[in-house]
Amino acid sequence: MNSFLSERAKNTGRSAIREILKYTQEPEVISFAGGLPKPDTFPREGLAESAARQIRDNYQNSLQYGTTEGIEEFRQEMATWLSEFGLDLELDNIIATNSSQQAIDLVCKAFLDPGDLVFCGLPTYLGAVQAFSTFQAEKVGVPLEKDGMNMEILEKKIQESKSAGKKAKFIYVIPDFQNPAGVTLSKQKRRKIFDLAEEHDLLIIEDTPYFGVRFSGDFKKPIGTYDVSGRVITITSLSKILSSGMRLAVVAGPSELLANLVTMKQSTDLCTSTTTQLIAADWLKNNSLSEHLKELRKYYKENRDAMIEEMKRSFPEDERISWTEPNGGLFIWVTLPENVDAELVFEKGLERKVAFVPGHHFYVNDGGQNTMRLSYSLLTPERIREGINRLGEVLENVLSPVSQ
Amino acid sequence: MNSFLSERAKNTGRSAIREILKYTQEPEVISFAGGLPKPDTFPREGLAESAARQIRDNYQNSLQYGTTEGIEEFRQEMATWLSEFGLDLELDNIIATNSSQQAIDLVCKAFLDPGDLVFCGLPTYLGAVQAFSTFQAEKVGVPLEKDGMNMEILEKKIQESKSAGKKAKFIYVIPDFQNPAGVTLSKQKRRKIFDLAEEHDLLIIEDTPYFGVRFSGDFKKPIGTYDVSGRVITITSLSKILSSGMRLAVVAGPSELLANLVTMKQSTDLCTSTTTQLIAADWLKNNSLSEHLKELRKYYKENRDAMIEEMKRSFPEDERISWTEPNGGLFIWVTLPENVDAELVFEKGLERKVAFVPGHHFYVNDGGQNTMRLSYSLLTPERIREGINRLGEVLENVLSPVSQ
């Protein structure tokens, strides 16, 4: 039946991480592999109340189809929240989508023809890479530094693509606590990326799902706040802060660009669930998201602290080993000595009942063989310490001359 | 900013019906234009209870991400229901999607390259046509008769496409109470369509959202029940029977084909809302869908009866005017004399405060100028009679020699 497949489908692989996760399901395995948030951090009591109220009393709207743009109350609540961070949004500058992943899909659908160029980080979010592949785009990777993409390389790659006569469409960037690397784009680089997009007439797709999960460091304004010419699309999601299961995200940006996403969304799924939009809007109206986030951040911060403390204690003393210390989000990125293959560490780790994702999966080229992504989101500090301890032993073994 | 648009996006128009609906929002207008179900027919009390229970007690699953295939409990409940209609489904023969529209989108994504051929009814569902256009397929229309597509023309068109060396991918068919025409595919034609697909190696996309809304006539098995060679994909939805707002549908079919849709869905939205899937699964487990449907069917049948009775009474006596008498679903299709333009009737109707959708919108060619789609779903029988009465006056005027 493969004769029916589109070129697009032939170009799309299944997520390698999902395959890895299958190996890490055994209860004895301490897994830092997944990237799921902790459902205990979501306000289940309040959401249950909002759900019962909206379904029972507002059924004319919550059980009915809605507009493709999304329910006004929900978009308004989200616009109000985003205004705290400098995004000044009218109602036609914000639409609801069925998750950030759908927002990325719609962006690709609206803007990418086969062969078009997309610039993204090295490493970067795998779900975005999959979408770029599905829409047969050419992915151009730009190495990350501690404060985000290397700007010289980005500029050089843009110029090269121009010289080669290629059609470059957008820069995809995860500015805050990037998945997988945990790094945050500096204020200077936010400005610089916008200036480069202006100079070379590119769109910017700013994807910031961990925005609300900041527990230290200075707040940095979204790139969307620099947008004077209508070229920045900012995607943010409730999946890490209110509920992943409700599949709610919003896309903020210039109305002209959003109109194209709405047209694409009509034939994609008509509208985002009005049930979940109205549950979220009801909760946001009756509760303080800021107060809620204080608790949630405390949870993740404790876990991050436990992981970093234990890494300092248990990882081999070797200056060629380094890791990021994120101010938010769910991930720490470890760089091993260049000659160490993280796939080997992964194999040895499974024997020792500890798991992570080898970092090369997040690369759009052949890089990252000596890197690992560790998530601290789902475990208790005790389990995190135990797992890092095991991983430290594995690293000692792999690095020791005897095993080489 | 249009320089950024993909060819795909340039090929996609906004839904014309949504534009029409804007003119019909005034409260004095009696509108038969929309196709929305009546939220009062949905079990809001039971759904509110299921929602509160699942969000409060099962938050580890209902607020968390789920697998791309969908939540097992939900798929199992749906498989059990569909087994009553002859579809014998294992768990890997059924996946959950975020609405039927998404299922159509995923089918297009997985199977259509630009220029590929799709066979569909004349008229047919506009949302599907939009998806075919987005994926740059060539749409080949096959006129409908009282019992579905004209088989001779379908066969001829398939043969012509072969002779022309075109790549034909699938036949898209709405077998039950088709939107917009209200007709149901006969048993003989279900068999014949499957045989044609076998002979010419085509897929069949069977889209049956009104399946549960049958209030008279004999039950006819889905085409999926004829499938001996793994080429039929059956899409059905809860949007007309349990809630439109939850955006839940399932796709049933051979696991090899579904696997391709799952791969596409990963990069489209990762997974369908676990919150709404678990609410639906909880409701289905604790309630009888069959019992619930009895009430729902009674509501729509009364409305259909009122509309048809009043059409007989109020429409001009003219043997060139005919209409379908559907055994289910939400729509009646009216054919006017060939020289009458339904757009003119629409204009005059708005003056008289009655609205509908001119039928040509549902055609993929230039046909249907003298047709109208009327929905009886949202109004009371009294309002339906009043509206049909007004429409009868408009038709009298348009048909009378003086106004010609």
Side-chain angles (χ1 to χ4, degrees):
Chain A
M1 283 288 160
N2 272 347
S3 63
F4 289 105
L5 282 187
S6 63
E7 288 304 315
R8 185 183 310 111
K10 289 177 197 160
N11 216 34
T12 309
R14 289 243 184 166
S15 161
I17 293 187
R18 293 190 175 231
E19 304 306 315
I20 286 175
L21 293 181
K22 285 181 190 162
Y23 296 105
T24 64
Q25 300 290 336
E26 293 173 57
E28 320 94 89
V29 172
I30 298 182
S31 176
F32 304 127
L36 301 181
K38 182 88 170 170
D40 300 75
T41 63
F42 299 140
R44 58 184 182 273
E45 287 296 333
L47 289 174
E49 279 170 34
S50 292
R53 181 163 49 230
Q54 285 296 319
I55 293 176
R56 192 171 278 127
D57 303 335
N58 192 20
Y59 70 96
Q60 294 282 4
N61 297 304
S62 69
L63 301 182
Q64 183 59 286
Y65 290 92
T67 62
T68 307
E69 290 83 353
I71 296 266
E72 280 195 23
E73 293 96 306
F74 174 66
R75 289 150 68 205
Q76 196 59 65
E77 288 290 341
M78 291 300 288
T80 302
W81 184 56
L82 292 173
S83 72
E84 291 179 27
F85 305 99
L87 285 169
D88 184 20
L89 306 168
E90 302 290 321
L91 205 58
D92 66 348
N93 298 127
I94 186 165
I95 62 172
T97 59
N98 179 46
S99 80
S100 285
Q101 186 69 44
Q102 185 187 53
I104 295 170
D105 177 68
L106 294 175
V107 162
C108 294
K109 225 174 180 182
F111 301 122
L112 292 182
D113 284 314
D116 282 353
L117 254 58
V118 171
F119 302 96
C120 61
L122 281 179
T124 196
Y125 169 57
L126 197 60
V129 173
Q130 273 190 294
F132 304 154
S133 296
T134 298
F135 287 96
Q136 298 161 273
E138 192 176 319
K139 293 147 294 202
V140 180
V142 178
L144 293 185
E145 299 169 311
K146 288 214 154 133
D147 58 350
M149 279 185 196
N150 180 310
M151 288 296 127
E152 288 68 41
I153 298 181
L154 173 61
E155 187 160 14
K156 190 169 142 258
K157 298 259 183 188
I158 294 173
Q159 280 161 347
E160 280 172 10
S161 77
K162 265 189 157 172
S163 309
K166 302 223 176 182
K167 181 85 188 158
K169 287 289 178 72
F170 58 76
I171 305 166
Y172 172 77
V173 59
I174 306 163
D176 306 298
F177 331 118
Q178 198 240 29
N179 174 10
V183 300
T184 293
L185 197 66
S186 67
K187 195 179 158 189
Q188 292 72 15
K189 287 193 174 178
R190 288 172 198 238
R191 175 86 247 170
K192 178 68 179 171
I193 284 189
F194 181 73
D195 289 344
L196 284 173
E198 279 281 270
E199 186 184 341
H200 298 284
D201 196 21
L202 297 168
L203 301 179
I204 294 172
I205 311 303
E206 172 180 43
D207 180 16
T208 183
Y210 309 101
F211 189 57
V213 194
R214 163 183 295 283
F215 33 69
S216 59
D218 291 337
F219 162 72
K220 291 176 187 68
K221 282 189 180 180
I223 304 174
T225 60
Y226 297 93
D227 192 10
V228 289
S229 56
R231 60 177 73 253
V232 184
I233 286 174
T234 303
I235 303 169
T236 191
S237 159
L238 292 178
S239 289
K240 307 300 185 289
I241 57 179
L242 202 70
S243 152
S244 319
M246 298 205 299
R247 316 300 299 122
L248 289 175
V250 289
V251 185
S255 54
E256 298 74 22
L257 292 177
L258 296 195
N260 295 317
L261 302 187
V262 170
T263 304
M264 289 298 107
K265 189 167 162 68
Q266 274 190 5
S267 67
T268 298
D269 68 356
L270 300 178
C271 65
T272 301
S273 170
T274 52
T275 313
T276 58
Q277 285 183 80
L278 281 164
I279 295 171
D282 185 291
W283 188 92
L284 289 166
K285 198 177 147 200
N286 292 295
N287 298 272
S288 163
L289 184 57
S290 307
E291 282 304 310
H292 162 67
L293 288 179
K294 283 184 192 165
E295 282 303 304
L296 177 141
R297 288 166 181 154
K298 204 174 139 208
Y299 167 83
Y300 287 115
K301 183 175 187 304
E302 273 177 24
N303 281 8
R304 179 206 60 169
D305 290 348
M307 185 172 270
I308 286 180
E309 274 168 33
E310 193 60 34
M311 287 164 85
K312 286 177 182 163
R313 196 159 23 227
S314 307
F315 275 17
E317 281 192 46
D318 186 323
E319 62 188 13
R320 300 170 303 165
I321 300 180
S322 66
W323 54 81
T324 56
E325 297 200 2
N327 288 322
L330 316 181
F331 304 106
I332 288 174
W333 186 254
V334 180
T335 305
L336 301 171
E338 280 195 11
N339 63 335
V340 174
D341 183 357
E343 282 290 345
L344 177 69
V345 181
F346 178 74
E347 273 172 43
K348 301 275 181 200
L350 277 190
E351 289 167 18
R352 192 66 189 83
K353 305 289 184 200
V354 61
F356 60 89
V357 182
H360 70 87
H361 289 295
F362 304 98
Y363 277 69
V364 299
N365 59 13
D366 295 332
Q369 285 298 338
N370 61 324
T371 60
M372 322 192 285
R373 188 191 76 171
L374 306 182
S375 168
Y376 46 77
S377 62
L378 280 180
L379 303 163
T380 60
E382 291 66 39
R383 291 283 281 174
I384 289 173
R385 286 198 188 90
E386 170 62 22
I388 291 295
N389 199 275
R390 294 182 193 173
L391 192 55
E393 289 174 31
V394 172
L395 287 175
E396 289 283 5
N397 273 326
V398 171
L399 288 173
S400 73
V402 180
S403 74
Q404 291 284 309
Chain B
M1 283 287 161
N2 272 347
S3 63
F4 290 104
L5 282 187
S6 64
E7 288 304 315
R8 187 183 307 111
K10 289 178 196 159
N11 215 34
T12 310
R14 288 243 184 165
S15 160
I17 293 185
R18 293 190 174 231
E19 304 305 314
I20 285 174
L21 293 181
K22 287 183 190 162
Y23 296 105
T24 63
Q25 300 290 337
E26 294 172 56
E28 320 93 89
V29 171
I30 298 181
S31 176
F32 303 126
L36 301 180
K38 182 88 170 170
D40 300 77
T41 63
F42 299 139
R44 58 185 181 272
E45 287 295 333
L47 290 173
E49 279 170 34
S50 293
R53 182 162 49 229
Q54 286 296 320
I55 294 176
R56 191 172 280 126
D57 303 335
N58 192 20
Y59 70 96
Q60 294 281 5
N61 297 304
S62 68
L63 301 183
Q64 183 59 287
Y65 290 91
T67 63
T68 307
E69 290 82 355
I71 296 267
E72 280 196 24
E73 294 96 304
F74 174 66
R75 289 149 70 205
Q76 197 56 67
E77 289 290 342
M78 290 300 288
T80 303
W81 184 56
L82 291 174
S83 72
E84 292 179 27
F85 306 98
L87 285 170
D88 185 20
L89 306 169
E90 301 290 323
L91 205 59
D92 67 348
N93 298 126
I94 185 164
I95 62 171
T97 58
N98 179 44
S99 80
S100 284
Q101 185 70 42
Q102 185 187 52
I104 296 169
D105 178 68
L106 294 174
V107 162
C108 294
K109 226 173 177 181
F111 302 121
L112 293 182
D113 284 314
D116 282 353
L117 255 58
V118 170
F119 301 95
C120 61
L122 283 179
T124 197
Y125 169 56
L126 196 60
V129 173
Q130 273 189 294
F132 305 154
S133 297
T134 297
F135 287 96
Q136 298 160 273
E138 191 176 320
K139 293 147 295 201
V140 181
V142 179
L144 293 185
E145 299 169 311
K146 288 215 154 132
D147 58 351
M149 280 186 196
N150 179 310
M151 288 296 128
E152 287 69 40
I153 298 181
L154 173 60
E155 187 160 14
K156 190 167 143 258
K157 298 260 184 188
I158 293 173
Q159 281 162 346
E160 280 172 9
S161 78
K162 266 190 157 171
S163 309
K166 303 222 175 183
K167 181 84 187 158
K169 286 289 178 74
F170 59 75
I171 304 167
Y172 172 77
V173 59
I174 306 161
D176 306 297
F177 332 119
Q178 197 240 27
N179 174 10
V183 301
T184 292
L185 198 66
S186 67
K187 196 179 159 190
Q188 291 74 15
K189 287 193 174 178
R190 288 172 197 237
R191 175 86 247 170
K192 178 68 179 171
I193 284 188
F194 181 73
D195 290 343
L196 285 173
E198 279 282 269
E199 187 184 342
H200 299 283
D201 195 22
L202 297 169
L203 301 179
I204 294 173
I205 311 304
E206 170 179 45
D207 181 14
T208 183
Y210 309 101
F211 189 56
V213 194
R214 164 184 294 284
F215 33 70
S216 57
D218 292 337
F219 162 72
K220 291 176 187 70
K221 282 188 180 180
I223 304 174
T225 60
Y226 297 92
D227 192 11
V228 289
S229 56
R231 61 177 71 254
V232 184
I233 286 174
T234 303
I235 303 167
T236 190
S237 160
L238 292 178
S239 290
K240 307 301 186 288
I241 59 179
L242 201 70
S243 153
S244 319
M246 298 205 298
R247 316 300 298 125
L248 288 175
V250 288
V251 185
S255 56
E256 299 76 20
L257 292 177
L258 296 195
N260 295 317
L261 303 188
V262 170
T263 304
M264 289 297 107
K265 188 168 162 68
Q266 274 189 5
S267 67
T268 298
D269 67 356
L270 301 178
C271 65
T272 301
S273 170
T274 52
T275 314
T276 59
Q277 286 183 79
L278 282 165
I279 295 171
D282 185 291
W283 189 92
L284 289 165
K285 196 177 150 201
N286 291 293
N287 297 273
S288 163
L289 184 56
S290 306
E291 283 303 309
H292 162 66
L293 289 179
K294 283 184 191 164
E295 281 302 303
L296 178 140
R297 288 165 180 153
K298 204 174 138 207
Y299 167 84
Y300 286 116
K301 182 175 188 303
E302 274 177 22
N303 281 7
R304 178 205 62 170
D305 290 348
M307 186 173 270
I308 286 180
E309 274 168 33
E310 192 62 33
M311 286 164 85
K312 287 179 181 161
R313 196 160 22 228
S314 307
F315 274 17
E317 282 191 44
D318 186 324
E319 62 188 11
R320 300 169 304 164
I321 300 180
S322 65
W323 54 81
T324 56
E325 298 200 1
N327 288 322
L330 316 180
F331 303 105
I332 288 174
W333 186 254
V334 181
T335 305
L336 300 172
E338 280 196 10
N339 63 336
V340 175
D341 182 358
E343 281 289 347
L344 177 69
V345 180
F346 177 74
E347 273 173 44
K348 301 275 179 198
L350 277 190
E351 289 168 17
R352 192 68 188 81
K353 305 289 182 200
V354 60
F356 59 89
V357 181
H360 71 88
H361 289 295
F362 304 98
Y363 277 68
V364 298
N365 59 12
D366 295 332
Q369 285 298 339
N370 60 325
T371 60
M372 321 192 286
R373 187 189 78 171
L374 307 182
S375 167
Y376 47 78
S377 62
L378 279 179
L379 303 162
T380 61
E382 293 64 40
R383 290 284 281 174
I384 289 173
R385 288 199 186 90
E386 170 63 22
I388 292 295
N389 199 276
R390 292 182 195 174
L391 192 54
E393 287 174 33
V394 172
L395 287 173
E396 288 284 4
N397 272 324
V398 171
L399 288 172
S400 74
V402 181
S403 75
Q404 292 282 309

